[in-house]
Amino acid sequence: MTDTPRTSEATPSGAPALSAQYAPGDVEQRRYEQWVADGLFQADAKSDRPPFTIVLPPPNVTGSLHIGHALDHTVQDSLARRRRMQGYETLWLPGMDHAGIATQNVVERQLAGEGLSRHDLGREAFVERVWQWKAESGGKILGQMTRLGDSVDWSRERFTMDEGLSRAVLTIFKRLFEDDLIYRAERIINWCPRCLTALSDIEVEHSDDEGELVSIRYGDGDGAIVVATTRAETMLGDTAVAVHPDDERYRHLVGTEVELPLTGRRIPIVADEHVDPAFGTGAVKVTPAHDPNDFEIGQRHGLPNLTIMDDHGVITVHGPFLGLDRFEARPAIVAALRADGRIVAEKRPYLHAVGHCQRCSTTVEPRLSLQWFVRTGPLAKAAGDAVRDGRVRVEPQELTKRYFGWVDNMHDWCISRQLWWGHRIPVWYGPEGEVVCVGPDEQAPTGPGWTQDPDVLDTWFSSALWPFSTLGWPDETADLAKFYPTSVLVTGYDILFFWVARMMMFGLYAMDGRQPFDVIMLHGMVRDQYGKKMSKSFGNVVDPLDWIERFGADATRFTLARGANPGADVPVSEDWVQGARNFCNKLWNATRYGLGNGATLDGELPPQEQLTTVDRWVLSRLQHVIGEVDEQFEAFELAKVCDTLYHFAWDDVCDWYLELTKPVLNGDDEAAKDRTRRVLGHVLDRLLRLLHPIMPFVTEELWTTLTGERTVVRAAWPAADAARIDDAAEAELANLQRVVTEVRRFRADQGVKPSQRVVARLDGLAGAGLTAHEGLIRSLARLDVEEAASGDFAATAKLAVGVGVTVELDTRGAIDVAAERARLTKDQAAAEKEAAQCRAKLGNPAFTDKAPEPVVAKIRQRLEAAEADLARITSQLEALS
RNA sequence: GGGCGCGUAGCUCAGUGGAAGAGCACCCGCCUUACAAGCGGGGGGUCGUUGGUUCGAACCCAACCGUGCCCACCA
C-alpha cells in the first residue's frame, strides 16, 4: 500500500528530518515499542490532582474483539491521555476477559464444526479448549488501537479463573447470601432448549411471530367453559381454569370442576384478578409449570405444578404424546382435540409476541426450575437513587429516563447458568440436604455425599464487580483507596442495562454506598456509511485490524472518534478512514514544512507588538481553538473535538498560515524570519499536543522530531492565553482572505492557469487595513507588480472585491466578458436578495419595535453592506458593456 | 401494547428562536518548490407534511406521515 519510507535527509536548519512519505505502520510500531520501553503506562504518582480512572469494559460481549471495542478504546484512551497531559494521575482498569457465555459460544461453534458438542468433551477438556481459544485470539485490538500497555494480562486472569472463583466473586456472593439477597427458588425461568440453560430477562428477545390461537371447550353441558391458547400442547399440564372474579358469565362456575380433555383429569375453576375478561372468552387455562403468569396464579390458589416437558422441550407425560418435541406435540394435540369435537374456533395465523434465545434464536420455553436469584429490590433502589440525587451523571442526560425505567422495574435476577465456562456457584450440598455457601479462604466441605452446585454464574455477575474487583477488592489496596469511585465509564448504550445498572447495584452494595463511577458516558453503536447496523449477513462488518493494517491506528481512531458524540451512533466507512489517513498525512507534511523552514521552540514567544498581523492572527485562532476543545472534551463531545481540530489544522494552519509565512521565510529580514519561525514552532507544537489524545502515534512522531523532546505523552496540555487573542488581527485577516479569494475566483472564471503570473495594480488597501499585506496578497493570488520601466501595463479588467479594494489586472488579452458578466450577475442577485430581506425586516414596525436593539442594529449593518456591494457590482457590470 | 429518539445537500451528520453548515461524493482548472493521500474554484437543500405560537421558526407547540431503538406475562 505505502512505499517504504525514503531515508532521512538533513534539513537546511540541521533539524532531524521526517521521511517524505508518511508510513503509519512503521511509525506506530516504533512509537509503541518506545512507550513500553519507557514505562509510560504506569500511573504517575506525583500529581496533586484527583486521580482519573476509566473503567474498561470486559471484552466478552460478543465473544470476540470487534470494531465496537475499538470505539470504546479510542474514546477511553483519548480521555485518559488528555487527563494525563493535564497532570492527573490516570488509571485505565485492565481489560480482562471473564466468565462470558459468549466465550463459550464461540468454542461451541468451533466444536459444532467438528461435529462435536461440549458434552462430548466433558467439562474439563472443554474449559481447556476455551483457554486455548482465548490465548490465540485475545487482546489484539486493545493493543493495536492504543498500545497503552499490555493491558490484557492473561496470566492474571488464568490465575483467578483457575481458582474457580475469584476472591471478589466469592466475597460478594457470600455477603449477598448472608444478607438474604441471594436465594434459590423454583421459579418459571426462560429456558433455551437448545443451549440447555436458563436465560435472564435481558437474554430473551421478543418478536411478533405467526402462531395460532385455538379455542378449546373444557367440560360438557352447563359446566363447560371455553379457553383460548396459542400453546395447545401445554394443556396437558393444566391444573385449573381461571376467570375474572367480577365476570358475571362465569360466576356460577367458580368453585366447580371441569374435566380436562384427553387426560380425564378434573381441574378446578378459580377466580383471579389477573384474567382480562375482555380478551378471548374471558377464561384462561392455567399451566403453572409452563407459564409465568399461570405460575403466579397457581401460587395464589395453591395449585399443583405439573411439568410435562423435559429440558429439551420434549413431552414427558401421557402415552400418545410422550417423546414428541413441543412443536410436533402442538398439531398432534390439536388434531386429537378436534377429533374429540373440542375445538371451538381456530385463528391461524395469529400474530403474537414470542421470546427467542438471544444467542441461537430458539423459541424460549418458560420452564419451572430450581435456580439462583439476586433479590434486586433494595439494590436497584440504591442504583436509581444514586443517579436521582446527582451523585452519578449520565451523558447524554436523555438516557437517564431509560436508566430509571430499568432500575425501577427490575425483576429478581436469575444468576445461575447451566454452562461450563465461568465462575461456579460457591454452594455445596450435603448428604442430609445441607446447603453451605463457601466464602473466600474457607474450606469447602468434603466427604461422601457432598457436591458443588454444577451451575456457573451469569457473566454479568462478575462484570458487575469490575470497577472495584480490578482494583484489588476485597483487599483494601492502595489502588482501591485512590481510584474508587472511578471517574468515568465509557461504553455503548446497548449495555446500559446489562452491565452499567448491575455495576451500580454491586458497587453501591459492596463499597458501602459509594458509587462505582461519577460519570457514565454512553456512545452509540458503530454503523456503516448508510447508518446500517453492522452484521455478518449484510456483509458490512469492518475488521479494525484490517483498517489498522491499511490506514493506521491513528486513522482508525480518528474515524471512530469523529463520530463519537454522546448517545449518537457512529457511522464509519472506508472512504472516511481514508480521509482520516489523509489528515495524518497532512499533519506530516505540515510538520515537514515547519522543520524545513526552521520552525523552533527555542526561547520565549516574541511579545505581541513585535509580531506580524499574520502571526498574531494564528495565535489568536489557536487560543479560541484551545478553549473550544477544552469545552468539548469536558462535555465528552469527541466528534466536535475532532471537527474543531481538523478545521483549525487544515483550513487555518495549512491553507492559510503556512502559505502566509512563505513570503516572510523566503525574505531577507532575518529578525522577522526568526520571530515567525518561533511562532510557527509554537503553533505546530500546540496543535500536535491538542491532537495527541486522538491520534497518539503520528503526533508523537512529529512532536518529538519537532521539539527534540522524549515524548508528547507527558507534555503539558495547552492552556488558552487570553493575552494572545487579537480581534483586530482576525478582522484584518478576514479582509485579506476575502481579497485573495475574490481574485482567485476571477482567475478561475477567466480560465487563467494557476501557474500563470498576472500583472496587477492594487488600490484601496489602506481603507481595508491591508497596506502592509500587499506582498502577501500578491503571493497568494499570484499577482505580479507592474514593471514601472516597461510601461506597457494595460489593465484589461478592473475588479472591485469589496472591503474597498480594487484590483486592476493585465491579463494580456481580452477577458472573457460573458464569464465575467455571468459571475457579476450572480453576485448582484445575491446582494439584491440580501438587501431586500433586510429592507423588509426594517420596514416592519413590529420588528423594529419588538426585536432587541442589537438584532436590529445587525440587520441595519447587513443592509448597508448589501447596498454597498450592490453599487459596486452594478457599476462593474455597467463598465463591462 | 407502553416508552424514548430521529426525519436538514447524493451519503453520514452538526446546527435547537434572530443571515441554511461540515466531511465525503460531484463538476471545472491545476504535478504552483510541505503535501496529487494534494492545491485553487464551483454547483447542490421550499430543513418530512399540515396547522399553531412569535415581529421573526430548521429550532417552540399540536396533529399526521415515515423511520429507528428499548421495554412488555393479554392467554
Side-chain angles (χ1 to χ4, degrees):
Chain A
M1 180 86 222
T2 47
D3 299 328
T4 28
R6 287 183 220 162
T7 45
S8 304
E9 305 158 22
T11 56
S13 61
L18 295 166
S19 59
Q21 190 82 31
Y22 161 62
D26 297 338
V27 170
E28 290 169 7
Q29 188 59 38
R30 187 151 35 83
R31 282 301 150 193
Y32 167 60
E33 284 165 11
Q34 191 64 54
W35 287 339
V36 172
D38 286 354
L40 283 175
F41 303 116
Q42 274 94 53
D44 290 323
K46 59 188 178 190
S47 169
D48 58 352
R49 292 178 184 249
F52 183 75
T53 330
I54 292 177
V55 184
L56 181 78
N60 70 331
V61 182
T62 64
S64 61
L65 300 172
H66 58 71
I67 189 83
H69 293 121
L71 173 60
D72 280 334
H73 283 255
T74 297
V75 176
Q76 290 160 352
D77 186 47
S78 298
L79 296 177
R81 282 179 189 265
R82 171 165 172 269
R83 283 295 189 223
R84 182 186 290 258
M85 291 172 82
Q86 286 179 318
Y88 287 79
E89 182 173 357
T90 61
L91 179 71
W92 215 36
L93 293 181
M96 294 186 293
D97 197 357
H98 66 130
I101 292 175
T103 310
Q104 167 159 331
N105 270 4
V106 172
V107 175
E108 285 202 318
R109 255 180 265 131
Q110 287 179 356
L111 288 174
E114 301 162 29
L116 294 170
S117 83
R118 67 186 157 112
H119 298 276
D120 298 323
L121 262 70
R123 189 164 195 151
E124 227 170 274
F126 179 80
V127 168
E128 199 48 47
R129 177 90 181 223
V130 176
W131 277 119
Q132 197 187 322
W133 171 75
K134 285 155 68 70
E136 285 163 8
S137 66
K140 250 177 162 178
I141 291 172
L142 283 69
Q144 298 203 33
M145 282 306 289
T146 64
R147 322 265 178 152
L148 194 67
D150 291 316
S151 59
V152 183
D153 183 348
W154 299 108
S155 61
R156 184 173 161 194
E157 188 197 359
R158 179 92 199 208
F159 173 75
T160 51
M161 290 294 292
D162 276 354
E163 294 290 294
L165 302 150
S166 72
R167 284 168 51 74
V169 171
L170 278 174
T171 304
I172 193 140
F173 192 98
K174 175 103 182 175
R175 205 187 278 184
L176 288 163
F177 185 83
E178 287 176 347
D179 282 353
D180 195 31
L181 289 169
I182 281 187
Y183 63 95
R184 192 180 192 217
E186 193 162 58
R187 286 288 178 82
I188 294 279
I189 46 91
N190 301 298
W191 178 265
C192 175
R194 196 206 67 93
C195 303
L196 299 179
T197 184
L199 304 173
S200 69
D201 287 350
I202 48 184
E203 290 169 303
V204 176
E205 281 170 3
H206 294 266
S207 61
D208 279 338
D209 293 359
E210 285 185 1
E212 57 185 24
L213 185 67
V214 181
S215 300
I216 311 167
R217 180 168 46 83
Y218 285 11
D220 295 295
D222 289 346
I225 192 161
V226 174
V227 298
T229 180
T230 54
R231 306 199 53 204
E233 71 279 11
T234 62
M235 59 84 60
L236 297 176
D238 284 2
T239 55
V241 170
V243 297
H244 195 272
D246 301 334
D247 196 332
E248 296 296 337
R249 293 171 295 177
Y250 300 117
R251 184 162 284 174
H252 65 289
L253 291 176
V254 172
T256 68
E257 289 190 340
V258 289
E259 183 181 310
L260 185 65
L262 303 182
T263 67
R265 268 192 296 118
R266 294 194 64 79
I267 56 174
I269 295 174
V270 299
D272 195 283
E273 296 278 352
H274 168 75
V275 180
D276 175 7
F279 185 89
T281 59
V284 60
K285 61 193 274 305
V286 182
T287 322
H290 292 279
D291 182 281
N293 296 315
D294 294 5
F295 181 78
E296 298 291 323
I297 295 174
Q299 293 289 94
R300 285 195 283 271
H301 298 275
L303 302 172
N305 302 320
L306 194 59
T307 299
I308 61 155
M309 267 181 240
D310 67 10
D311 53 7
H312 290 87
V314 172
I315 304 292
T316 56
V317 294
H318 198 71
F321 309 107
L322 182 71
L324 287 184
D325 178 78
R326 53 189 170 146
F327 295 115
E328 299 165 355
R330 187 175 302 166
I333 286 174
V334 171
L337 289 167
R338 192 179 294 117
D340 238 13
R342 302 226 156 248
I343 301 295
V344 179
E346 294 174 78
K347 193 174 174 192
R348 204 176 282 120
Y350 177 75
L351 209 62
H352 65 128
V354 177
H356 297 272
C357 173
Q358 192 181 57
R359 286 168 294 139
C360 69
S361 292
T362 301
T363 301
V364 164
E365 187 62 39
R367 185 162 183 269
L368 193 62
S369 153
L370 205 51
Q371 302 287 347
W372 288 95
F373 293 87
V374 169
R375 202 182 304 283
T376 51
L379 299 172
K381 170 80 166 56
D385 288 345
V387 173
R388 251 184 290 275
D389 64 25
R391 276 179 292 154
V392 178
R393 196 175 83 217
V394 178
E395 289 286 346
Q397 314 239 335
E398 297 86 69
L399 285 170
T400 50
K401 274 176 277 184
R402 274 203 203 178
Y403 175 82
F404 290 140
W406 179 256
V407 293
D408 294 343
N409 299 299
M410 196 180 275
H411 299 327
D412 279 359
W413 171 20
C414 176
I415 52 169
S416 41
R417 295 288 181 278
Q418 290 66 47
L419 301 169
W420 287 354
W421 173 260
H423 293 116
R424 231 167 130 176
I425 289 178
V427 174
W428 270 256
Y429 306 109
E432 311 293 326
E434 303 97 321
V435 176
V436 176
C437 177
V438 178
D441 310 319
E442 288 176 7
Q443 197 60 44
T446 51
W450 282 92
T451 53
Q452 185 179 3
D453 194 303
D455 291 355
V456 299
L457 288 162
D458 180 9
T459 186
W460 300 106
F461 189 92
S462 52
S463 303
L465 310 175
W466 222 242
F468 46 98
S469 67
T470 43
L471 292 169
W473 187 90
D475 297 329
E476 288 175 13
T477 63
D479 277 353
L480 190 64
K482 187 183 282 179
F483 290 106
Y484 190 96
T486 66
S487 310
V488 57
L489 170 83
V490 179
T491 193
Y493 59 67
D494 56 330
I495 56 173
L496 175 62
F497 309 131
F498 291 83
W499 190 39
V500 180
R502 301 188 194 284
M503 280 193 288
M504 287 287 280
M505 292 198 300
F506 277 11
L508 291 161
Y509 174 75
M511 299 299 293
D512 306 316
R514 287 190 300 145
Q515 71 276 13
F517 21 72
D518 300 327
V519 178
I520 299 168
M521 189 246 161
L522 298 163
H523 56 71
M525 308 293 91
V526 179
R527 291 172 181 276
D528 74 4
Q529 61 194 308
Y530 303 109
K532 261 193 178 158
K533 212 171 184 169
M534 291 209 170
S535 80
K536 281 182 189 143
S537 53
F538 275 130
N540 61 355
V541 178
V542 166
D543 176 3
L545 288 175
D546 174 48
W547 277 11
I548 290 169
E549 179 74 24
R550 289 158 61 208
F551 305 105
D554 283 327
T556 306
R557 286 172 60 117
F558 190 79
T559 305
L560 291 165
R562 203 174 194 185
N565 266 336
D569 284 339
V570 182
V572 298
S573 84
E574 191 159 319
D575 283 347
W576 303 343
V577 72
Q578 241 168 55
R581 190 265 322 262
N582 294 355
F583 181 49
C584 295
N585 193 43
K586 192 72 178 169
L587 294 171
W588 187 272
N589 284 312
T591 308
R592 281 182 65 212
Y593 170 83
L595 290 169
N597 287 283
T600 180
L601 284 129
D602 291 339
E604 292 292 308
L605 201 56
Q608 283 293 86
E609 59 274 15
Q610 289 180 18
L611 294 176
T612 64
T613 310
V614 170
D615 286 337
R616 279 182 283 120
W617 163 76
V618 76
L619 289 174
S620 186
R621 284 287 305 127
L622 175 66
Q623 310 315 317
H624 290 303
V625 165
I626 293 171
E628 285 168 35
V629 165
D630 272 332
E631 270 178 37
Q632 290 156 349
F633 258 119
E634 292 303 324
F636 302 99
E637 291 177 318
L638 214 49
K640 286 180 183 144
V641 169
C642 292
D643 206 52
T644 302
L645 291 173
Y646 181 92
H647 285 292
F648 176 64
W650 205 309
D651 300 349
D652 291 337
V653 174
C654 291
D655 286 350
W656 287 102
Y657 182 63
L658 296 190
E659 294 303 324
L660 287 165
T661 61
K662 284 177 183 174
V664 179
L665 295 175
N666 294 333
D668 304 322
D669 184 341
E670 287 303 323
K673 279 162 99 165
D674 283 344
R675 286 191 295 269
T676 288
R677 282 170 175 157
R678 183 65 188 80
V679 174
L680 178 58
H682 178 83
V683 169
L684 289 172
D685 163 55
R686 292 303 195 266
L687 175 62
L688 292 170
R689 291 187 201 213
L690 291 168
L691 279 164
H692 176 255
I694 295 160
M695 321 173 72
F697 301 105
V698 69
T699 50
E700 172 79 337
E701 177 83 356
L702 297 176
W703 192 82
T704 52
T705 308
L706 178 74
T707 62
E709 304 273 339
R710 184 79 184 169
T711 178
V712 70
V713 174
R714 288 203 165 122
W717 180 252
D721 178 1
R724 295 287 180 179
I725 291 178
D726 189 331
D727 293 338
E730 295 201 40
E732 224 171 301
L733 256 289
N735 283 346
L736 185 151
Q737 288 174 332
R738 178 156 177 195
V739 172
V740 170
T741 303
E742 284 292 327
V743 175
R744 283 173 175 170
R745 206 175 140 214
F746 174 82
R747 290 177 55 124
D749 288 343
Q750 289 296 318
V752 178
K753 299 209 161 148
S755 52
Q756 187 184 335
R757 312 268 330 176
V758 176
V759 178
R761 183 186 293 152
L762 299 169
D763 285 315
L765 290 173
L770 296 175
T771 315
H773 305 316
E774 181 169 343
L776 292 175
I777 293 168
R778 287 183 181 279
S779 161
L780 293 180
R782 294 177 177 271
L783 299 175
D784 280 346
V785 184
E786 53 186 298
E787 302 282 342
S790 67
D792 62 350
F793 176 77
T796 52
K798 185 174 177 187
L799 197 58
V801 295
V803 302
V805 176
T806 57
V807 181
E808 288 175 285
L809 300 108
D810 180 354
T811 57
R812 301 279 161 185
I815 65 157
D816 184 340
V817 176
E820 183 61 0
R821 175 168 290 134
R823 186 171 70 89
L824 289 170
T825 306
K826 212 176 104 190
D827 287 356
Q828 188 183 38
E832 261 166 9
K833 189 180 163 198
E834 166 76 357
Q837 274 179 356
C838 294
R839 263 187 231 106
K841 281 201 174 189
L842 293 170
N844 180 359
F847 172 74
T848 47
D849 291 351
K850 296 195 179 182
E853 178 48 32
V855 174
V856 179
K858 204 171 159 196
I859 298 289
R860 277 204 197 94
Q861 278 176 11
R862 277 172 50 194
L863 179 58
E864 280 171 31
E867 282 174 338
D869 276 352
L870 207 49
R872 167 176 64 83
I873 295 161
T874 306
S875 79
Q876 243 186 307
L877 264 174
E878 282 163 3
L880 260 186
S881 60

